[in-house]
Short mmCIF file of all heavy atoms in Angstrom, two decimals:
data_model
loop_
_atom_site.label_atom_id
_atom_site.label_comp_id
_atom_site.label_asym_id
_atom_site.label_seq_id
_atom_site.Cartn_x
_atom_site.Cartn_y
_atom_site.Cartn_z
N ASP F 55 -156.09 -55.72 28.70
CA ASP F 55 -156.03 -54.89 29.85
C ASP F 55 -155.40 -53.61 29.74
O ASP F 55 -154.47 -53.45 28.84
CB ASP F 55 -155.22 -55.55 30.99
CG ASP F 55 -155.91 -56.91 31.34
OD1 ASP F 55 -156.94 -57.15 30.95
OD2 ASP F 55 -155.21 -57.57 32.23
N SER F 56 -155.81 -52.50 30.30
CA SER F 56 -155.32 -51.24 30.08
C SER F 56 -155.18 -50.47 31.34
O SER F 56 -156.10 -50.65 32.23
CB SER F 56 -156.13 -50.44 29.15
OG SER F 56 -157.40 -50.22 29.54
N ALA F 57 -154.14 -49.72 31.61
CA ALA F 57 -153.88 -49.13 32.85
C ALA F 57 -154.90 -47.93 33.10
O ALA F 57 -155.63 -47.98 34.08
CB ALA F 57 -152.47 -48.46 33.00
N VAL F 58 -155.07 -47.14 32.07
CA VAL F 58 -156.03 -46.01 32.22
C VAL F 58 -156.78 -46.05 30.80
O VAL F 58 -156.18 -45.87 29.74
CB VAL F 58 -155.36 -44.68 32.33
CG1 VAL F 58 -156.51 -43.55 32.29
CG2 VAL F 58 -154.60 -44.64 33.66
N ALA F 59 -158.08 -46.33 30.85
CA ALA F 59 -158.84 -46.53 29.61
C ALA F 59 -160.05 -45.73 29.65
O ALA F 59 -161.18 -46.12 29.46
CB ALA F 59 -159.21 -47.97 29.53
N VAL F 60 -159.85 -44.43 29.89
CA VAL F 60 -160.94 -43.53 29.92
C VAL F 60 -160.64 -42.28 29.06
O VAL F 60 -159.42 -42.04 28.73
CB VAL F 60 -161.27 -42.98 31.29
CG1 VAL F 60 -161.81 -44.19 32.18
CG2 VAL F 60 -160.13 -42.35 32.00
N SER F 61 -161.67 -41.67 28.61
CA SER F 61 -161.42 -40.45 27.80
C SER F 61 -160.88 -39.33 28.65
O SER F 61 -161.49 -39.09 29.79
CB SER F 61 -162.76 -39.96 27.15
OG SER F 61 -163.27 -40.95 26.33
N VAL F 62 -159.87 -38.72 28.32
CA VAL F 62 -159.32 -37.57 28.97
C VAL F 62 -159.18 -36.42 28.08
O VAL F 62 -158.73 -36.61 26.89
CB VAL F 62 -157.89 -37.91 29.58
CG1 VAL F 62 -157.33 -36.73 30.30
CG2 VAL F 62 -158.02 -39.06 30.56
N PRO F 63 -159.48 -35.16 28.46
CA PRO F 63 -159.30 -33.99 27.59
C PRO F 63 -157.87 -33.98 27.02
O PRO F 63 -156.94 -34.40 27.67
CB PRO F 63 -159.55 -32.78 28.50
CG PRO F 63 -160.39 -33.37 29.59
CD PRO F 63 -159.90 -34.73 29.78
N GLU F 64 -157.77 -33.39 25.71
CA GLU F 64 -156.52 -33.35 25.06
C GLU F 64 -155.40 -32.65 25.79
O GLU F 64 -154.20 -32.95 25.70
CB GLU F 64 -156.73 -32.73 23.71
CG GLU F 64 -157.48 -33.65 22.73
CD GLU F 64 -157.53 -33.01 21.28
OE1 GLU F 64 -156.69 -32.23 20.95
OE2 GLU F 64 -158.54 -33.43 20.61
N ASP F 65 -155.83 -31.67 26.71
CA ASP F 65 -154.70 -30.88 27.32
C ASP F 65 -154.26 -31.78 28.48
O ASP F 65 -153.30 -31.42 29.21
CB ASP F 65 -155.21 -29.64 27.92
CG ASP F 65 -156.42 -29.74 28.92
OD1 ASP F 65 -156.73 -30.80 29.31
OD2 ASP F 65 -156.95 -28.68 29.31
N GLY F 66 -154.78 -33.00 28.84
CA GLY F 66 -154.28 -33.83 29.77
C GLY F 66 -154.77 -33.50 31.17
O GLY F 66 -154.45 -34.26 32.18
N HIS F 67 -155.51 -32.41 31.39
CA HIS F 67 -156.08 -31.98 32.64
C HIS F 67 -157.41 -32.56 32.74
O HIS F 67 -158.41 -31.82 32.35
CB HIS F 67 -156.02 -30.52 32.79
CG HIS F 67 -154.58 -30.05 32.82
ND1 HIS F 67 -154.00 -29.56 31.72
CD2 HIS F 67 -153.70 -29.97 33.81
CE1 HIS F 67 -152.77 -29.14 32.01
NE2 HIS F 67 -152.58 -29.49 33.24
N ALA F 68 -157.67 -33.66 33.38
CA ALA F 68 -159.00 -34.20 33.54
C ALA F 68 -159.68 -33.55 34.78
O ALA F 68 -158.93 -33.17 35.75
CB ALA F 68 -158.93 -35.74 33.83
N LYS F 69 -160.93 -33.48 34.75
CA LYS F 69 -161.52 -32.92 35.82
C LYS F 69 -161.51 -33.95 36.99
O LYS F 69 -161.56 -35.14 36.71
CB LYS F 69 -163.05 -32.62 35.49
CG LYS F 69 -163.86 -33.80 34.90
CD LYS F 69 -165.14 -33.34 34.32
CE LYS F 69 -165.81 -34.55 33.60
NZ LYS F 69 -167.05 -34.26 33.05
N PRO F 70 -161.52 -33.53 38.25
CA PRO F 70 -161.28 -34.39 39.37
C PRO F 70 -162.47 -35.30 39.69
O PRO F 70 -162.27 -36.39 40.21
CB PRO F 70 -160.98 -33.48 40.58
CG PRO F 70 -161.53 -32.20 40.08
CD PRO F 70 -161.47 -32.07 38.66
N VAL F 71 -163.59 -34.89 39.35
CA VAL F 71 -164.88 -35.59 39.50
C VAL F 71 -165.74 -35.54 38.14
O VAL F 71 -165.56 -34.60 37.49
CB VAL F 71 -165.67 -35.21 40.77
CG1 VAL F 71 -164.98 -35.49 41.97
CG2 VAL F 71 -166.13 -33.82 40.65
N GLY F 72 -166.59 -36.46 38.04
CA GLY F 72 -167.51 -36.38 36.89
C GLY F 72 -167.59 -37.74 36.18
O GLY F 72 -167.23 -38.77 36.76
N LEU F 73 -168.10 -37.67 34.96
CA LEU F 73 -168.42 -38.92 34.30
C LEU F 73 -167.28 -39.15 33.16
O LEU F 73 -166.83 -38.33 32.61
CB LEU F 73 -169.68 -38.79 33.51
CG LEU F 73 -170.95 -38.70 34.45
CD1 LEU F 73 -172.19 -38.52 33.65
CD2 LEU F 73 -171.10 -39.80 35.42
N TYR F 74 -166.89 -40.48 33.16
CA TYR F 74 -165.88 -40.92 32.16
C TYR F 74 -166.44 -42.12 31.42
O TYR F 74 -167.17 -42.97 31.96
CB TYR F 74 -164.58 -41.33 32.96
CG TYR F 74 -163.90 -40.13 33.59
CD1 TYR F 74 -164.34 -39.65 34.88
CD2 TYR F 74 -162.84 -39.55 33.01
CE1 TYR F 74 -163.67 -38.60 35.44
CE2 TYR F 74 -162.16 -38.52 33.58
CZ TYR F 74 -162.62 -38.04 34.76
OH TYR F 74 -161.97 -36.91 35.32
N GLU F 75 -165.99 -42.28 30.21
CA GLU F 75 -166.39 -43.51 29.40
C GLU F 75 -165.16 -44.33 29.20
O GLU F 75 -164.04 -43.89 28.82
CB GLU F 75 -167.01 -43.03 28.06
CG GLU F 75 -167.30 -44.16 27.17
CD GLU F 75 -168.05 -43.72 25.92
OE1 GLU F 75 -167.99 -42.50 25.60
OE2 GLU F 75 -168.38 -44.68 25.09
N VAL F 76 -165.39 -45.67 29.37
CA VAL F 76 -164.38 -46.74 29.18
C VAL F 76 -164.18 -46.79 27.53
O VAL F 76 -165.10 -46.94 26.82
CB VAL F 76 -164.71 -47.99 29.67
CG1 VAL F 76 -163.63 -49.04 29.30
CG2 VAL F 76 -164.84 -47.92 31.27
N VAL F 77 -162.94 -46.50 27.11
CA VAL F 77 -162.70 -46.46 25.57
C VAL F 77 -161.89 -47.74 25.19
O VAL F 77 -161.69 -47.87 23.93
CB VAL F 77 -162.03 -45.18 25.15
CG1 VAL F 77 -162.98 -43.99 25.45
CG2 VAL F 77 -160.72 -44.95 25.81
N ALA F 78 -161.29 -48.46 26.05
CA ALA F 78 -160.63 -49.62 25.67
C ALA F 78 -161.60 -50.81 25.58
O ALA F 78 -162.74 -50.60 25.99
CB ALA F 78 -159.52 -50.00 26.70
N SER F 79 -161.16 -51.96 25.17
CA SER F 79 -162.16 -53.10 25.11
C SER F 79 -162.62 -53.49 26.40
O SER F 79 -163.79 -54.02 26.59
CB SER F 79 -161.49 -54.31 24.34
OG SER F 79 -160.38 -54.73 25.09
N ARG F 80 -161.85 -53.27 27.40
CA ARG F 80 -162.23 -53.43 28.87
C ARG F 80 -161.17 -52.82 29.70
O ARG F 80 -160.02 -52.59 29.29
CB ARG F 80 -162.46 -54.90 29.30
CG ARG F 80 -161.12 -55.63 29.38
CD ARG F 80 -161.43 -57.13 29.75
NE ARG F 80 -160.20 -57.76 30.05
CZ ARG F 80 -159.93 -58.55 31.09
NH1 ARG F 80 -160.94 -58.79 31.93
NH2 ARG F 80 -158.74 -59.05 31.23
N SER F 81 -161.59 -52.40 30.89
CA SER F 81 -160.62 -51.81 31.82
C SER F 81 -160.78 -52.42 33.14
O SER F 81 -161.81 -52.63 33.74
CB SER F 81 -161.01 -50.27 31.97
OG SER F 81 -160.12 -49.65 32.73
N ILE F 82 -159.52 -52.77 33.70
CA ILE F 82 -159.48 -53.46 35.00
C ILE F 82 -159.66 -52.45 36.13
O ILE F 82 -159.11 -51.34 36.16
CB ILE F 82 -158.15 -54.15 35.13
CG1 ILE F 82 -157.79 -55.20 34.07
CG2 ILE F 82 -158.02 -54.84 36.56
CD1 ILE F 82 -158.84 -56.25 34.03
N VAL F 83 -160.48 -52.77 37.09
CA VAL F 83 -160.73 -51.91 38.33
C VAL F 83 -159.79 -52.50 39.34
O VAL F 83 -159.87 -53.67 39.61
CB VAL F 83 -162.22 -51.96 38.67
CG1 VAL F 83 -162.38 -51.05 40.03
CG2 VAL F 83 -163.10 -51.39 37.63
N ARG F 84 -158.92 -51.63 39.93
CA ARG F 84 -157.95 -52.07 40.99
C ARG F 84 -158.27 -51.49 42.30
O ARG F 84 -158.84 -50.46 42.44
CB ARG F 84 -156.59 -51.83 40.45
CG ARG F 84 -156.25 -52.50 39.15
CD ARG F 84 -154.84 -52.40 38.69
NE ARG F 84 -154.54 -53.05 37.45
CZ ARG F 84 -154.33 -54.34 37.35
NH1 ARG F 84 -154.25 -55.10 38.41
NH2 ARG F 84 -154.10 -54.93 36.21
N GLY F 85 -157.68 -52.16 43.34
CA GLY F 85 -157.87 -51.78 44.67
C GLY F 85 -157.05 -50.53 45.07
O GLY F 85 -157.35 -49.90 46.09
N ALA F 86 -156.08 -50.18 44.33
CA ALA F 86 -155.17 -48.99 44.56
C ALA F 86 -154.78 -48.48 43.18
O ALA F 86 -154.87 -49.15 42.19
CB ALA F 86 -154.04 -49.44 45.31
N PRO F 87 -154.29 -47.22 43.08
CA PRO F 87 -153.86 -46.61 41.80
C PRO F 87 -152.56 -47.14 41.28
O PRO F 87 -151.50 -46.38 41.34
CB PRO F 87 -153.94 -45.13 42.07
CG PRO F 87 -153.61 -45.00 43.46
CD PRO F 87 -154.26 -46.23 44.16
N SER F 88 -152.42 -48.44 40.99
CA SER F 88 -151.22 -49.06 40.54
C SER F 88 -151.46 -50.33 39.75
O SER F 88 -152.48 -51.00 40.00
CB SER F 88 -150.40 -49.47 41.78
OG SER F 88 -149.23 -50.30 41.38
N THR F 89 -150.71 -50.51 38.62
CA THR F 89 -150.97 -51.70 37.86
C THR F 89 -150.62 -52.99 38.56
O THR F 89 -151.03 -54.03 38.25
CB THR F 89 -150.19 -51.69 36.49
OG1 THR F 89 -148.83 -51.50 36.82
CG2 THR F 89 -150.62 -50.50 35.63
N SER F 90 -149.88 -52.84 39.67
CA SER F 90 -149.57 -54.04 40.54
C SER F 90 -150.68 -54.33 41.57
O SER F 90 -150.52 -55.31 42.25
CB SER F 90 -148.16 -53.93 41.12
OG SER F 90 -148.16 -52.87 41.94
N ALA F 91 -151.55 -53.39 41.76
CA ALA F 91 -152.63 -53.64 42.73
C ALA F 91 -153.54 -54.77 42.34
O ALA F 91 -153.85 -54.95 41.10
CB ALA F 91 -153.40 -52.27 42.95
N GLN F 92 -154.16 -55.45 43.32
CA GLN F 92 -155.12 -56.42 43.08
C GLN F 92 -156.30 -55.97 42.21
O GLN F 92 -156.89 -54.94 42.47
CB GLN F 92 -155.59 -57.09 44.38
CG GLN F 92 -156.44 -58.28 44.22
CD GLN F 92 -156.84 -58.90 45.44
OE1 GLN F 92 -156.55 -58.51 46.52
NE2 GLN F 92 -157.55 -60.04 45.32
N ALA F 93 -156.62 -56.79 41.21
CA ALA F 93 -157.82 -56.48 40.36
C ALA F 93 -159.07 -56.70 41.15
O ALA F 93 -159.21 -57.76 41.89
CB ALA F 93 -157.88 -57.31 39.14
N GLN F 94 -160.04 -55.82 41.16
CA GLN F 94 -161.41 -56.00 41.71
C GLN F 94 -162.42 -56.35 40.79
O GLN F 94 -163.49 -56.74 41.19
CB GLN F 94 -161.71 -54.58 42.36
CG GLN F 94 -160.67 -54.06 43.36
CD GLN F 94 -160.54 -54.83 44.61
OE1 GLN F 94 -161.47 -55.21 45.21
NE2 GLN F 94 -159.27 -55.01 44.95
N GLY F 95 -162.17 -56.23 39.51
CA GLY F 95 -163.14 -56.56 38.48
C GLY F 95 -162.70 -55.78 37.23
O GLY F 95 -161.66 -55.34 37.09
N ALA F 96 -163.61 -55.85 36.14
CA ALA F 96 -163.31 -55.19 34.96
C ALA F 96 -164.62 -54.57 34.43
O ALA F 96 -165.72 -55.02 34.70
CB ALA F 96 -162.90 -56.25 33.91
N LEU F 97 -164.47 -53.52 33.63
CA LEU F 97 -165.53 -52.81 33.05
C LEU F 97 -165.46 -52.86 31.52
O LEU F 97 -164.42 -52.75 30.99
CB LEU F 97 -165.64 -51.30 33.40
CG LEU F 97 -165.75 -51.08 34.94
CD1 LEU F 97 -165.73 -49.67 35.26
CD2 LEU F 97 -167.11 -51.61 35.46
N PRO F 98 -166.54 -53.08 30.79
CA PRO F 98 -166.52 -53.15 29.32
C PRO F 98 -166.52 -51.78 28.66
O PRO F 98 -166.80 -50.74 29.26
CB PRO F 98 -167.90 -53.81 29.03
CG PRO F 98 -168.81 -53.39 30.09
CD PRO F 98 -167.90 -53.24 31.29
N LYS F 99 -166.07 -51.88 27.43
CA LYS F 99 -166.07 -50.74 26.58
C LYS F 99 -167.43 -49.99 26.48
O LYS F 99 -168.44 -50.76 26.31
CB LYS F 99 -165.52 -51.08 25.13
CG LYS F 99 -165.40 -49.82 24.26
CD LYS F 99 -164.78 -50.27 22.94
CE LYS F 99 -164.65 -49.05 22.03
NZ LYS F 99 -163.93 -49.33 20.83
N GLY F 100 -167.45 -48.76 26.60
CA GLY F 100 -168.68 -48.06 26.54
C GLY F 100 -169.39 -47.78 27.81
O GLY F 100 -170.30 -46.92 27.96
N GLU F 101 -168.79 -48.41 28.85
CA GLU F 101 -169.40 -48.16 30.20
C GLU F 101 -169.11 -46.76 30.70
O GLU F 101 -167.99 -46.23 30.51
CB GLU F 101 -168.84 -49.21 31.18
CG GLU F 101 -169.33 -49.02 32.57
CD GLU F 101 -170.78 -49.54 32.77
OE1 GLU F 101 -171.20 -50.32 31.88
OE2 GLU F 101 -171.39 -49.13 33.74
N VAL F 102 -170.02 -46.12 31.19
CA VAL F 102 -169.83 -44.70 31.73
C VAL F 102 -169.78 -44.89 33.25
O VAL F 102 -170.71 -45.55 33.84
CB VAL F 102 -171.00 -43.81 31.39
CG1 VAL F 102 -170.80 -42.39 31.97
CG2 VAL F 102 -170.98 -43.58 29.79
N VAL F 103 -168.70 -44.40 33.86
CA VAL F 103 -168.53 -44.45 35.31
C VAL F 103 -168.44 -43.02 35.91
O VAL F 103 -168.00 -42.10 35.21
CB VAL F 103 -167.30 -45.22 35.60
CG1 VAL F 103 -167.44 -46.63 35.19
CG2 VAL F 103 -166.04 -44.56 35.02
N GLU F 104 -168.72 -42.96 37.19
CA GLU F 104 -168.53 -41.65 37.97
C GLU F 104 -167.29 -41.73 38.66
O GLU F 104 -167.10 -42.69 39.50
CB GLU F 104 -169.85 -41.47 38.92
CG GLU F 104 -169.73 -40.08 39.41
CD GLU F 104 -171.00 -39.79 40.22
OE1 GLU F 104 -171.93 -40.61 40.17
OE2 GLU F 104 -171.04 -38.74 40.92
N ALA F 105 -166.47 -40.73 38.55
CA ALA F 105 -165.22 -40.70 39.32
C ALA F 105 -165.34 -39.66 40.53
O ALA F 105 -165.99 -38.56 40.32
CB ALA F 105 -164.08 -40.23 38.40
N GLU F 106 -164.82 -40.01 41.66
CA GLU F 106 -164.81 -39.15 42.77
C GLU F 106 -163.46 -38.54 43.05
O GLU F 106 -163.35 -37.51 43.67
CB GLU F 106 -165.30 -39.85 44.09
CG GLU F 106 -164.37 -40.97 44.50
CD GLU F 106 -164.86 -41.77 45.64
OE1 GLU F 106 -166.00 -41.75 46.03
OE2 GLU F 106 -163.97 -42.46 46.35
N LEU F 107 -162.43 -39.00 42.28
CA LEU F 107 -161.12 -38.39 42.48
C LEU F 107 -160.31 -38.83 41.27
O LEU F 107 -160.44 -39.90 40.64
CB LEU F 107 -160.45 -38.99 43.79
CG LEU F 107 -159.09 -38.59 44.10
CD1 LEU F 107 -159.01 -37.07 44.50
CD2 LEU F 107 -158.52 -39.37 45.29
N TYR F 108 -159.37 -37.86 40.84
CA TYR F 108 -158.42 -38.09 39.73
C TYR F 108 -157.08 -37.91 40.28
O TYR F 108 -156.80 -36.83 40.97
CB TYR F 108 -158.72 -37.15 38.61
CG TYR F 108 -157.70 -37.26 37.55
CD1 TYR F 108 -157.90 -38.14 36.43
CD2 TYR F 108 -156.58 -36.48 37.36
CE1 TYR F 108 -156.97 -38.28 35.42
CE2 TYR F 108 -155.71 -36.55 36.46
CZ TYR F 108 -155.91 -37.48 35.35
OH TYR F 108 -155.00 -37.58 34.36
N ARG F 109 -156.16 -38.89 40.12
CA ARG F 109 -154.82 -38.71 40.66
C ARG F 109 -153.78 -39.47 39.77
O ARG F 109 -153.90 -40.70 39.55
CB ARG F 109 -154.77 -39.34 42.12
CG ARG F 109 -153.36 -39.16 42.67
CD ARG F 109 -153.12 -39.61 44.11
NE ARG F 109 -154.19 -40.49 44.66
CZ ARG F 109 -153.94 -41.44 45.56
NH1 ARG F 109 -152.67 -41.42 46.12
NH2 ARG F 109 -154.83 -42.13 45.95
N ASP F 110 -152.80 -38.81 39.31
CA ASP F 110 -151.74 -39.38 38.55
C ASP F 110 -152.12 -40.23 37.41
O ASP F 110 -151.58 -41.35 37.22
CB ASP F 110 -150.72 -40.11 39.46
CG ASP F 110 -150.14 -39.23 40.57
OD1 ASP F 110 -149.89 -38.04 40.20
OD2 ASP F 110 -149.97 -39.67 41.63
N GLY F 111 -153.15 -39.87 36.67
CA GLY F 111 -153.63 -40.72 35.55
C GLY F 111 -154.67 -41.79 35.87
O GLY F 111 -155.13 -42.57 35.01
N TRP F 112 -155.05 -41.85 37.13
CA TRP F 112 -155.98 -42.77 37.66
C TRP F 112 -157.24 -42.14 38.11
O TRP F 112 -157.26 -40.99 38.64
CB TRP F 112 -155.49 -43.65 38.81
CG TRP F 112 -154.28 -44.61 38.38
CD1 TRP F 112 -153.02 -44.20 38.32
CD2 TRP F 112 -154.37 -45.98 38.13
NE1 TRP F 112 -152.24 -45.30 37.91
CE2 TRP F 112 -153.06 -46.42 37.86
CE3 TRP F 112 -155.41 -46.90 38.14
CZ2 TRP F 112 -152.82 -47.74 37.52
CZ3 TRP F 112 -155.17 -48.12 37.82
CH2 TRP F 112 -153.79 -48.60 37.53
N ILE F 113 -158.42 -42.79 37.95
CA ILE F 113 -159.63 -42.23 38.52
C ILE F 113 -160.15 -43.24 39.55
O ILE F 113 -160.01 -44.44 39.45
CB ILE F 113 -160.80 -41.85 37.46
CG1 ILE F 113 -161.18 -43.16 36.75
CG2 ILE F 113 -160.33 -40.75 36.61
CD1 ILE F 113 -162.35 -43.03 35.83
N ARG F 114 -160.69 -42.70 40.72
CA ARG F 114 -161.32 -43.54 41.74
C ARG F 114 -162.87 -43.55 41.39
O ARG F 114 -163.46 -42.55 41.44
CB ARG F 114 -161.12 -43.01 43.17
CG ARG F 114 -161.85 -43.80 44.14
CD ARG F 114 -161.08 -43.97 45.48
NE ARG F 114 -161.92 -44.55 46.41
CZ ARG F 114 -162.27 -45.86 46.52
NH1 ARG F 114 -161.82 -46.76 45.71
NH2 ARG F 114 -163.01 -46.29 47.56
N LEU F 115 -163.34 -44.73 41.18
CA LEU F 115 -164.78 -44.91 40.98
C LEU F 115 -165.48 -44.70 42.27
O LEU F 115 -165.13 -45.24 43.28
CB LEU F 115 -165.01 -46.26 40.41
CG LEU F 115 -164.22 -46.66 39.14
CD1 LEU F 115 -164.55 -47.97 38.68
CD2 LEU F 115 -164.42 -45.63 38.09
N SER F 116 -166.68 -44.14 42.18
CA SER F 116 -167.53 -43.86 43.41
C SER F 116 -168.53 -44.97 43.67
O SER F 116 -169.13 -44.92 44.74
CB SER F 116 -168.12 -42.51 43.33
OG SER F 116 -168.96 -42.33 42.20
N VAL F 117 -168.76 -45.85 42.65
CA VAL F 117 -169.79 -46.86 42.87
C VAL F 117 -169.34 -48.18 42.27
O VAL F 117 -168.51 -48.23 41.35
CB VAL F 117 -171.18 -46.54 42.18
CG1 VAL F 117 -171.78 -45.23 42.84
CG2 VAL F 117 -171.06 -46.18 40.69
N ARG F 118 -170.11 -49.24 42.56
CA ARG F 118 -169.77 -50.57 42.05
C ARG F 118 -170.44 -50.69 40.64
O ARG F 118 -171.49 -50.17 40.47
CB ARG F 118 -170.36 -51.74 42.92
CG ARG F 118 -169.71 -51.78 44.28
CD ARG F 118 -170.29 -52.98 45.01
NE ARG F 118 -170.07 -54.24 44.31
CZ ARG F 118 -169.59 -55.24 44.84
NH1 ARG F 118 -169.16 -55.23 46.08
NH2 ARG F 118 -169.49 -56.40 44.16
N ARG F 119 -169.83 -51.32 39.77
CA ARG F 119 -170.34 -51.64 38.37
C ARG F 119 -169.85 -53.00 37.92
O ARG F 119 -168.74 -53.39 38.18
CB ARG F 119 -169.85 -50.62 37.33
CG ARG F 119 -170.13 -49.19 37.72
CD ARG F 119 -171.48 -48.85 37.01
NE ARG F 119 -171.67 -47.41 37.13
CZ ARG F 119 -172.70 -46.75 36.72
NH1 ARG F 119 -173.57 -47.38 35.95
NH2 ARG F 119 -172.93 -45.52 36.80
N HIS F 120 -170.81 -53.76 37.31
CA HIS F 120 -170.45 -54.96 36.70
C HIS F 120 -169.71 -55.91 37.58
O HIS F 120 -168.66 -56.53 37.22
CB HIS F 120 -169.76 -54.81 35.42
CG HIS F 120 -170.60 -54.15 34.36
ND1 HIS F 120 -171.56 -54.90 33.60
CD2 HIS F 120 -170.69 -52.92 33.88
CE1 HIS F 120 -172.20 -53.96 32.77
NE2 HIS F 120 -171.68 -52.86 32.88
N GLY F 121 -170.06 -55.86 38.90
CA GLY F 121 -169.31 -56.88 39.78
C GLY F 121 -168.04 -56.27 40.38
O GLY F 121 -167.32 -56.89 41.11
N ALA F 122 -167.60 -55.16 39.78
CA ALA F 122 -166.31 -54.57 40.23
C ALA F 122 -166.56 -53.67 41.46
O ALA F 122 -167.56 -52.92 41.46
CB ALA F 122 -165.69 -53.64 39.15
N SER F 123 -165.82 -53.83 42.44
CA SER F 123 -165.88 -52.91 43.65
C SER F 123 -165.55 -51.56 43.29
O SER F 123 -164.81 -51.39 42.35
CB SER F 123 -164.88 -53.48 44.81
OG SER F 123 -165.17 -54.74 45.08
N ALA F 124 -165.94 -50.64 44.08
CA ALA F 124 -165.49 -49.20 43.83
C ALA F 124 -163.98 -49.26 44.04
O ALA F 124 -163.42 -49.97 44.91
CB ALA F 124 -166.09 -48.32 44.91
N GLY F 125 -163.20 -48.72 43.12
CA GLY F 125 -161.83 -48.86 43.15
C GLY F 125 -161.19 -47.84 42.13
O GLY F 125 -161.75 -46.82 41.86
N TRP F 126 -160.08 -48.17 41.54
CA TRP F 126 -159.30 -47.33 40.70
C TRP F 126 -159.20 -47.90 39.30
O TRP F 126 -158.99 -49.09 39.19
CB TRP F 126 -157.85 -47.13 41.22
CG TRP F 126 -157.84 -46.38 42.59
CD1 TRP F 126 -157.98 -46.98 43.78
CD2 TRP F 126 -157.65 -45.03 42.73
NE1 TRP F 126 -157.90 -45.90 44.76
CE2 TRP F 126 -157.70 -44.74 44.09
CE3 TRP F 126 -157.51 -43.95 41.92
CZ2 TRP F 126 -157.58 -43.50 44.62
CZ3 TRP F 126 -157.28 -42.66 42.38
CH2 TRP F 126 -157.44 -42.43 43.80
N MET F 127 -159.11 -47.07 38.38
CA MET F 127 -158.88 -47.45 36.95
C MET F 127 -158.31 -46.35 36.13
O MET F 127 -158.25 -45.17 36.62
CB MET F 127 -159.99 -48.04 36.20
CG MET F 127 -161.07 -47.01 35.89
SD MET F 127 -162.42 -47.96 34.91
CE MET F 127 -162.83 -46.53 33.80
#
């Protein structure tokens, strides 16, 4: 499991919306931007997701993927 498992530009300033690729073996999608939030599902390495918001190192997914609800990762 990884808290944030997406590619982020080297300067650390991710774009607030756009496409991101899961770079860990899998990434947990959570109901809120916190590692203690309930898991909604998981996404596999290589999955490309669309983010509608970026906040404090977390992205909010705009659509469901692989059984995961729209949520945070």
Side-chain angles (χ1 to χ4, degrees):
D55 298 350
S56 59
V58 179
V60 295
S61 299
V62 177
E64 288 184 27
D65 65 5
H67 294 97
K69 55 189 174 184
V71 296
L73 299 177
Y74 293 80
E75 180 179 2
V76 176
V77 296
S79 60
R80 72 180 186 135
S81 183
I82 303 299
V83 178
R84 300 190 178 275
S88 169
T89 56
S90 62
Q92 183 175 5
Q94 305 291 315
L97 298 175
K99 182 176 184 173
E101 181 73 20
V102 175
V103 295
E104 185 174 356
E106 63 183 19
L107 180 66
Y108 176 86
R109 180 176 21 152
D110 299 327
W112 291 82
I113 59 169
R114 173 142 172 79
L115 306 180
S116 58
V117 295
R118 291 179 68 121
R119 298 270 188 177
H120 294 281
S123 300
W126 294 86
M127 68 176 215

